[in-house]
Amino acid sequence: MHFVDLHAQYLSIKDEIDAAIASVIAESSFVRGPHVDAFESGFAELIGVRNCVSCANGTDALYIAMKALGLQSGDEVLVPAHTWISTSETVSQAGGTPVFCDSEPQYFTIDPQQIEARITSCTKGIIPVHLYGQPADMEAILEIAKRHNLWVIEDCAQAHLATYKGRMLGTMGDAATFSFYPGKNLGAMGDAGALVTNRDDIAEFAALFSRHGGKGTHVMEGINSRLDGLQAAILNVKLKYIRQWTEQRQACAARYDEQLCAIDRVVTPVVRTACEHVYHLYVVRTHRRNELRMFLKQHDVPTVINYASPVPMYPAYSAQGHTRDAFPVAVDHADQILSIPLYPELSQGDQDNVCQLIARFAEEFEHVEFAAA
Ligand SMILES: *Cc1c(COP(=O)(O)O)cnc(C)c1O
């Protein structure tokens, strides 16, 4: 069994992908060009925003967004402790300081109360991450941002097409960033990313900054962060299928929910009220995580821990001197989480096999205090 099967997705649309790649080569439209323009308008339409500015990857999209918002040395940006390091490393890259916030116990996403507690006179913005495909608590976050005059960048790298109370993720903040890394819900065959925004000033800055500060006249110093034609052409094909693939992910999740909820003390993902989760990852929690992981591995079921530690506890942030008790929820989660296989092409038979193995494990370990409630 695979954890993710990118080849299965390729085979399902092979003719279209091969033709798209051939056309880019025939036209030599390798960097930017018509495929990139088509992708930017297609993706903006899909999300329902005025502007999409493509770039080289989702990490650059965060950096570019913060440069567009004028981040400066000494500025603080509130980020979740439980995320992929891109969210915080780009704050430092843009000259600011990431300030980490603990998670909500049920949802893994940034806790609005922790945001409120960590605001200082230096705070400029908040980057909620819609982790695993689950929306962060946007109503509370937007309210705090408004009251303290902070900007909001939604990190949507794991949350293509997820919704919050009927609103598409990526449309609620000042800007939002997406990754099209191959394993993401909408994945290229290499690195790719984009920033979306309803603010024309941000889009204009981002387009200039990411392309050397302008063509012909350089109105500023920028960086080189471009989407290449091959990736754009591949993404244009996949845009047609992303809704269907999202529904397939949700169907897989529903099947897992149904079977796993019967298993005592394995906690399945809780979806926020009136929200749509898109299951970039299906993450269960259990106190015997390492044993379960080993047991599944012995039965040929690969799993992943996303992520093994809260970001502030990594050596990269040792200079900030964080302690585990500053992030009790994120620390607990890091010890208990396990991502089990989920991708659109995953067969029901494979899913049922995973569930049966988890049930067997739970039975065998019944005499031991086994999981968190
Ligand atoms: C993948 C990811 C990114 C970065 O995307 P890349 O395209 O890999 O640079 C940023 N934030 C989160 C939460 C991610 O999962």
Side-chain angles (χ1 to χ4, degrees):
M1 194 182 301
H2 302 279
F3 182 73
V4 172
D5 189 352
L6 298 179
H7 196 67
Q9 181 165 97
Y10 166 62
L11 291 179
S12 74
I13 51 171
K14 181 177 184 304
D15 291 348
E16 284 181 276
I17 295 285
D18 291 354
I21 291 172
S23 76
V24 173
I25 295 170
E27 297 157 9
S28 299
S29 50
F30 296 121
V31 174
R32 296 206 53 80
H35 299 282
V36 175
D37 293 341
F39 177 70
E40 288 181 342
S41 52
F43 193 68
E45 193 183 326
L46 179 75
I47 301 300
V49 282
R50 286 169 57 86
N51 307 283
C52 170
V53 179
S54 61
C55 61
N57 55 67
T59 307
D60 277 2
L62 284 162
Y63 171 65
I64 293 163
M66 278 182 270
K67 294 301 283 186
L69 286 159
L71 198 75
Q72 288 182 0
S73 154
D75 291 347
E76 294 175 0
V77 178
L78 298 158
V79 297
H82 185 159
T83 181
W84 178 246
I85 193 170
S86 298
T87 317
S88 54
E89 71 184 347
T90 49
V91 174
S92 309
Q93 187 187 359
T97 305
V99 175
F100 295 98
C101 301
D102 206 2
S103 315
E104 290 182 289
Q106 265 197 304
Y107 304 113
F108 304 113
T109 45
I110 191 167
D111 183 344
Q113 286 181 9
Q114 293 295 316
I115 291 178
E116 191 93 53
R118 287 167 204 238
I119 289 174
T120 71
S121 58
C122 298
T123 308
K124 289 294 183 307
I126 310 169
I127 311 183
V129 178
H130 304 304
L131 200 72
Y132 306 150
Q134 161 100 288
D137 187 359
M138 288 309 292
E139 226 161 57
I141 292 166
L142 292 170
E143 189 276 319
I144 294 169
K146 195 168 173 193
R147 195 150 34 80
H148 294 273
N149 196 24
L150 309 175
W151 49 251
V152 173
I153 300 171
E154 293 176 74
D155 183 341
C156 298
Q158 305 188 359
H160 315 68
L161 295 188
T163 61
Y164 178 90
K165 301 190 178 176
R167 298 163 79 183
M168 185 74 87
L169 296 192
T171 61
M172 290 173 277
D174 293 86
T177 59
F178 285 87
S179 168
F180 310 113
Y181 176 80
K184 297 288 162 78
N185 288 23
L186 177 60
M189 291 180 166
D191 278 312
L195 173 161
V196 302
T197 178
N198 283 318
R199 279 182 54 178
D200 294 343
D201 60 326
I202 293 178
E204 273 165 39
F205 179 98
L208 284 172
F209 182 74
S210 60
R211 291 153 213 165
H212 299 294
K215 204 170 180 178
T217 305
H218 303 289
V219 297
M220 62 175 88
E221 284 185 337
I223 61 170
N224 178 9
S225 183
R226 298 179 296 217
L227 181 62
D228 69 70
L230 283 169
Q231 301 311 333
I234 289 161
L235 287 169
N236 283 332
V237 172
K238 292 194 172 192
L239 270 184
K240 293 186 278 186
Y241 298 95
I242 180 65
R243 278 191 191 282
Q244 174 196 323
W245 289 333
T246 302
E247 284 163 19
Q248 286 171 273
R249 282 179 185 276
Q250 290 165 334
C252 282
R255 196 173 182 88
Y256 273 148
D257 286 346
E258 203 182 297
Q259 297 185 47
L260 295 178
C261 76
I263 301 170
D264 236 17
R265 292 170 293 179
V266 169
V267 184
T268 53
V270 184
V271 182
R272 195 185 295 283
T273 310
C275 290
E276 231 187 302
H277 194 316
V278 293
Y279 300 98
H280 171 57
L281 294 165
Y282 188 93
V283 178
V284 298
R285 278 195 286 144
T286 160
H287 272 168
R288 303 202 72 85
R289 191 268 314 276
N290 293 343
E291 291 92 332
L292 175 60
R293 184 166 200 225
M294 189 59 70
F295 179 83
L296 290 174
K297 189 179 172 196
Q298 282 161 359
H299 292 87
D300 195 32
V301 174
T303 58
V304 178
I305 297 169
N306 306 94
Y307 303 93
S309 162
V311 175
M313 310 316 296
Y314 284 120
Y317 293 99
S318 57
Q320 288 190 354
H322 296 291
T323 57
R324 285 167 66 87
D325 25 299
F327 310 99
V329 180
V331 164
D332 261 9
H333 284 167
D335 290 341
Q336 297 173 10
I337 50 177
L338 191 65
S339 310
I340 62 176
L342 190 151
Y343 51 93
E345 301 80 10
L346 181 62
S347 74
Q348 296 192 344
D350 278 347
Q351 276 201 278
D352 295 349
N353 181 29
V354 172
C355 294
Q356 281 152 19
L357 285 167
I358 294 176
R360 230 177 87 194
F361 175 84
E363 245 164 59
E364 284 174 21
F365 278 82
E366 213 175 32
H367 57 288
V368 193
E369 182 52 26
F370 157 58

